[in-house]
Amino acid sequence: MDQGLRELYQEVILDHSRHPRRFGALQEATHTGEGYNPLCGDRVKIYLALDAENRIQDIAFEGKGCAISQASASMMTDMLVGRTVEQAEQLMSGFLHLVKGEDTNGLAPEDREQLEVMGGISEFPMRVKCATLPWHTMKSALEGGETAKTE
Amino acid sequence: MTAQLKRVPVAAFDPLAARADFEILSRTVYGKPLVYLDSAASAQKPRQVLDAMREFASSDYANVHRGVHYLSAVATERYEVARENVRRFLNAGQADEIVFTHGGTEAINLVAHSYVAPRIQPGDEIVLSVMEHHSNIVPWHFLRERYGAVLRWIDVNDDGSLDVDRVDAAIGPKTKLVAIAHMSNVLGTITPLKDVVARAHAKGVPVLADGCQGVVHLSVDVQGLDADFYAFTGHKLYGPTGIGVLYGKRALLKSMRPFNGGGEMIQEVSRERVTYAPPPARFEAGTPPIIEAVGLAAAIDYLSGLDRKAVAAHEDDLLRYATDQVKELNWVRMIGEAKNKGAILSFETDDMHAHDVATILDREGVAVRAGHHCAQPLMERFGVASTTRASFALYNTREEVDVFVAALKKARAILG
Ligand SMILES: Cc1ncc(COP(=O)(O)O)c(C=O)c1O
């Protein structure tokens, strides 16, 4: 198989997309955000429950989309639980660098290792927006919920 | 000085010979031969079109309708010959019923702005089908937002076909226009346009046909159809981008207010007032797409030099060949199986998103479109967010269909 495709559709990614973690709504959400990719019509909704210290106590997502956006949302929600808002934003910034094939020095080594599987997307410029949609949506949820768009 | 090809009558059509006219088709992507199945989005251009544009620009070019100098006269002649060429292609009665626009989208917006908008009272209706392209939807939404027009939607059947009775039922005393595609860019459905027009006219309602897809695959006769307006775009017809056409019946065009304001569309301008040129100039403000008009004329010449019936039969064969193979895959759901359809194959795949499918096909050299195809109301009608679409043109082959189907199976193996 094409090396690029092999990296893009790694087993880990397919597993996340087939069995997304933290999929569903969150009753006790303090923040929600909706994301929309006008290119493909994909939608994602992120639910966040922040505690008094601005820590992500719980997080979930709903939506329909391609394997890349679903896997990205699943990994993101998995990694964000327990982090502060500030840490979440740091992780997002590192992730955005990663999927664009840029320097990821801002990421903690263990985060980089986990996110590495998404690195293959940088070879597919038309698909980078699929991977970033959940992250932009998470950010917009934190900022008070305008619909995030990837364009 | 027209760049017309001689019309040599040919008994049949040889797609391999035609392929040689499209240089881009011999390129590779990711080291694989290109299999271009996205012609419904935009078709590739034959050498004859590119040569005509280049030759014109390098020997006869100047602005049109302006100078008294030699080149301006030559260029004006070429531009007007192109108009005559389009007239013949659509079998319009008069060349001044052909308006050059910058695309199909602009042609439809022109009708909305110049014909329909001034006739709208709040509550007046525009009838359109759910399978319209956004360019035949959004201009009507503008009229809804700005003037209180009401959009009346005609549903399609589950197989994607359209019953003319539904059109009838949707037209009421407040209907100002029926706007309908001649052929759907997603389903491939060819609409019973002639019947639609007859029903609408029986109630005194004019019809705008969006011919962006139809004109590519069908022989269009606007007089036979009795369509009031017929819009199409150059780049899907093997011509250049940046040009489109609006055919409009002369009496209607004459009754319409201008669209854009600028040079060429006026009779006289003073500080106090302005009077407008007659159609088609009234609707061609500013410097028009001159080189593109020559290119479009060359594309029409190219098509007219082929046996179009044989071309249509070839495209039909490709569609059937592809449909038969794709339908054997039990994880594929076809969307759009009307009896009367053009060479477009849209489908949904179990557990695989269209974008993932298209990405894998792409790496096999197969260019298809994935998404909502600028037809979101139709996606909603079929309960899907997106589909994968393969569209066939005169230069595609059965071998390419085989590559496409093999790539689809590969996508299944990776994602399924
Ligand atoms: C059915 C239909 N109508 C209208 C258009 C718009 O054409 P253009 O984008 O060239 O203006 C398209 C193609 O994009 C189409 O397929």
Side-chain angles (χ1 to χ4, degrees):
Chain A
M1 195 209 299
D2 182 295
Q3 185 59 31
L5 279 184
R6 200 195 309 273
E7 273 174 30
L8 183 64
Y9 294 111
Q10 293 180 46
E11 211 34 61
V12 183
I13 289 186
L14 292 176
D15 183 62
H16 269 283
S17 83
R18 286 179 192 132
H19 314 286
R21 332 286 197 257
R22 302 184 174 278
F23 190 89
L26 205 63
Q27 293 302 325
E28 59 279 18
T30 57
H31 295 66
T32 61
E34 286 180 51
Y36 177 61
N37 183 346
L39 189 67
C40 56
D42 284 353
R43 286 175 193 285
V44 62
K45 183 163 184 184
I46 305 279
Y47 300 84
L48 284 162
L50 298 189
D51 67 14
E53 277 89 55
N54 254 359
R55 197 173 285 279
I56 299 173
Q57 227 175 19
D58 207 352
I59 179 168
F61 80 100
E62 283 180 326
K64 260 178 99 165
C66 62
I68 305 302
S69 71
Q70 294 296 288
S72 180
S74 173
M75 290 183 67
M76 176 188 84
T77 47
D78 228 19
M79 289 178 76
L80 285 181
V81 197
R83 298 194 195 222
T84 63
V85 168
E86 205 182 315
Q87 289 166 336
E89 281 172 350
Q90 251 176 9
L91 191 67
M92 167 168 173
S93 145
F95 178 79
L96 295 184
H97 285 298
L98 176 88
V99 292
K100 289 177 187 154
E102 298 164 359
D103 197 336
T104 52
N105 289 340
L107 282 174
E110 61 276 15
D111 289 341
R112 191 177 321 142
E113 201 174 308
Q114 262 197 68
L115 288 174
E116 200 71 67
V117 288
M118 297 294 293
I121 192 92
S122 64
E123 295 287 308
F124 295 79
M126 304 299 281
R127 302 298 306 278
V128 168
K129 284 172 180 168
C130 308
T132 57
L133 180 64
W135 295 80
H136 286 300
T137 308
M138 179 271 295
K139 190 145 192 284
S140 95
L142 288 172
E143 285 165 359
E146 242 196 74
T147 300
K149 291 206 180 67
T150 54
E151 281 182 341
Chain B
M1 82 189 61
T2 115
Q4 270 190 52
L5 288 177
K6 281 216 192 73
R7 288 207 194 196
V8 203
V10 271
F13 170 65
D14 176 5
L16 290 183
R19 281 181 80 80
D21 295 328
F22 294 81
E23 196 181 333
I24 198 170
L25 298 179
S26 57
R27 69 158 291 167
T28 57
V29 292
Y30 310 110
K32 307 259 169 71
L34 170 66
V35 174
Y36 189 74
L37 302 183
D38 197 21
S39 299
S42 202
Q44 300 299 347
K45 327 297 173 203
R47 178 173 38 81
Q48 288 83 341
V49 166
L50 304 175
D51 286 354
M53 292 169 75
R54 196 192 140 73
E55 274 159 24
F56 170 64
S58 41
S59 60
D60 288 339
Y61 179 74
N63 210 329
V64 293
H65 298 303
R66 292 187 188 189
V68 293
H69 59 76
Y70 176 79
L71 279 183
S72 180
V74 174
T76 301
E77 166 78 9
R78 290 291 297 273
Y79 183 67
E80 292 306 323
V81 164
R83 195 190 305 279
E84 167 59 21
N85 208 322
V86 172
R87 182 206 65 74
R88 208 178 326 116
F89 184 61
L90 296 180
N91 192 34
Q94 317 281 338
D96 62 7
E97 295 178 313
I98 304 298
V99 179
F100 283 124
T101 66
H102 295 89
T105 301
E106 192 181 66
I108 297 170
N109 277 274
L110 197 170
V111 175
H113 174 89
S114 297
Y115 178 76
V116 188
R119 290 163 173 81
I120 289 283
Q121 298 294 322
D124 283 348
E125 297 170 354
I126 312 290
V127 167
L128 70 170
S129 90
V130 294
M131 66 181 152
E132 298 311 311
H133 187 280
H134 290 169
S135 36
N136 199 21
I137 297 177
V138 181
W140 314 120
H141 269 309
F142 280 1
L143 301 192
R144 179 188 58 73
E145 287 179 347
R146 294 169 191 173
Y147 308 107
V150 173
L151 307 192
R152 292 277 302 265
W153 298 89
I154 312 163
D155 196 11
V156 293
N157 299 317
D158 288 342
D159 69 356
S161 60
L162 181 131
D163 291 336
V164 76
D165 287 343
R166 294 213 183 156
V167 182
D168 234 350
I171 300 175
K174 292 190 158 188
T175 306
K176 286 289 179 282
L177 183 82
V178 174
I180 190 162
H182 199 182
M183 172 175 156
S184 157
N185 67 309
V186 182
L187 307 172
T189 305
I190 293 164
T191 56
L193 185 54
K194 193 172 170 155
D195 295 341
V196 169
V197 172
R199 300 288 184 100
H201 284 180
K203 295 181 176 174
V205 175
V207 175
L208 160 72
D210 173 359
C212 287
Q213 299 291 339
V215 80
V216 184
H217 303 281
L218 306 162
S219 290
V220 175
D221 172 359
V222 288
Q223 293 186 86
L225 291 166
D226 203 19
D228 301 279
F229 299 102
Y230 195 97
F232 76 90
T233 200
H235 65 95
K236 296 180 203 275
L237 193 69
Y238 311 101
T241 52
I243 187 161
V245 165
L246 175 69
Y247 158 82
K249 283 183 179 165
R250 187 186 235 172
L252 293 180
L253 290 178
K254 277 176 97 165
S255 75
M256 284 157 56
R257 67 175 181 184
F259 183 40
N260 289 326
E264 289 315 312
M265 48 75 73
I266 51 93
Q267 200 128 55
E268 209 177 341
V269 179
S270 70
R271 296 191 192 196
E272 291 78 28
R273 56 193 290 267
V274 51
T275 52
Y276 304 113
R282 186 184 300 164
F283 308 108
E284 296 182 358
T287 298
I290 307 167
I291 299 173
E292 291 79 1
V294 169
L296 176 60
I300 289 173
D301 285 339
Y302 181 79
L303 277 175
S304 308
L306 303 171
D307 179 343
R308 287 200 80 196
K309 280 214 173 89
V311 170
H314 167 65
E315 290 171 349
D316 214 40
D317 174 70
L318 293 175
L319 177 66
R320 238 173 290 176
Y321 184 66
T323 302
D324 287 349
Q325 296 195 53
V326 165
K327 282 185 79 164
E328 276 183 18
L329 310 172
N330 60 8
W331 38 271
V332 171
R333 180 164 78 102
M334 296 272 303
I335 299 188
E337 293 192 84
K339 223 183 271 151
N340 197 7
K341 71 174 277 194
I344 286 178
L345 195 147
S346 275
F347 56 91
E348 210 195 359
T349 40
D350 288 350
D351 308 320
M352 298 196 292
H353 190 280
H355 271 187
D356 296 314
V357 172
T359 291
I360 292 173
L361 263 55
D362 181 44
R363 291 279 154 153
E364 297 295 307
V366 182
V368 295
R369 181 147 178 206
H372 54 60
H373 316 289
C374 301
Q376 287 184 323
L378 184 68
M379 296 289 113
E380 195 188 328
R381 159 67 177 81
F382 282 94
V384 296
S386 56
T387 74
T388 309
R389 178 188 76 184
S391 52
F392 305 102
L394 62 86
Y395 41 63
N396 292 121
T397 64
R398 279 188 169 213
E399 288 69 30
E400 290 183 306
V401 172
D402 291 338
V403 175
F404 158 66
V405 173
L408 255 187
K409 290 177 179 163
K410 180 163 181 176
R412 183 67 180 174
I414 294 173
L415 300 169

